[in-house]
Amino acid sequence: MKMGLAVLLLGVIGSAHAEQPLSNQQIVDHYCANANTQMQMDACSAQALGDADRQLNATYQAVLKKWAAYPSMSAKLRQAQRNWLTYRDADIAARFAIADQDKAAGTAGTAYPTAHNLYQAGLEFERVARLCEYLRGDAYGERDNAPCADLVAHPAVVPHQP
């Protein structure tokens, strides 16, 4: 019993040292460093959101593939992802509630699309980092320190044990 708890605690502690998602400033620096106009900011923020969407989808699919031999876990992962998507959408709606009213009234500022894209991208990059922990197997005593992109490209499938 104590050994199982120790392995679980090590997994949680190990998670604290995992790859960190890009901060909001890092997203701006990475995608929009050369943007000088609002049109360029809109374009680079859309690229950031597109990359975040692709990474989120690929990581989620890799997690499902890795844990496919465990139907109860896969079902809970699917439910967790659905719940996270609901949270993401609600969080964005709350963050931009006033701006959305202004947009509907035709008085939203020109930075609205950029702000919206970058905020959503940040949330999605955070979720990717969380999903990577499932690929690393931290909660189950594994610890694969490969970059998340490598784990997504080549997910190790966990065989079912009777």
Side-chain angles (χ1 to χ4, degrees), residues 28-147:
V28 170
D29 292 346
H30 180 77
Y31 289 94
C32 298
N34 298 319
N36 294 313
T37 67
Q38 191 58 55
M39 189 181 328
Q40 290 170 339
M41 287 296 293
D42 290 349
C44 65
S45 68
Q47 181 186 1
L49 180 54
D51 285 356
D53 283 339
R54 282 186 289 282
Q55 286 182 31
L56 179 61
N57 290 330
T59 305
Y60 176 64
Q61 292 305 316
V63 168
L64 290 177
K65 181 177 180 180
K66 177 175 179 154
W67 294 101
Y70 293 87
S72 64
M73 183 171 179
S74 295
K76 290 185 186 295
L77 284 166
R78 282 187 184 88
Q79 185 60 52
Q81 188 67 5
R82 283 191 292 273
N83 291 346
W84 181 85
L85 291 168
T86 299
Y87 158 78
R88 179 202 63 191
D89 295 345
D91 189 45
I92 291 168
R95 173 69 56 136
F96 293 98
I98 294 171
D100 285 339
Q101 287 176 343
D102 293 344
K103 184 179 176 190
T107 60
T110 58
Y112 174 85
T114 294
H116 190 279
N117 289 343
L118 291 173
Y119 188 74
Q120 183 171 338
L123 291 175
E124 291 182 8
F125 283 130
E126 288 173 9
R127 181 63 178 161
V128 167
R130 292 286 183 182
L131 289 172
C132 282
E133 295 305 313
Y134 285 98
L135 293 175
R136 289 193 169 94
D138 280 353
Y140 299 96
E142 298 176 41
R143 182 62 189 166
D144 192 330
N145 290 318

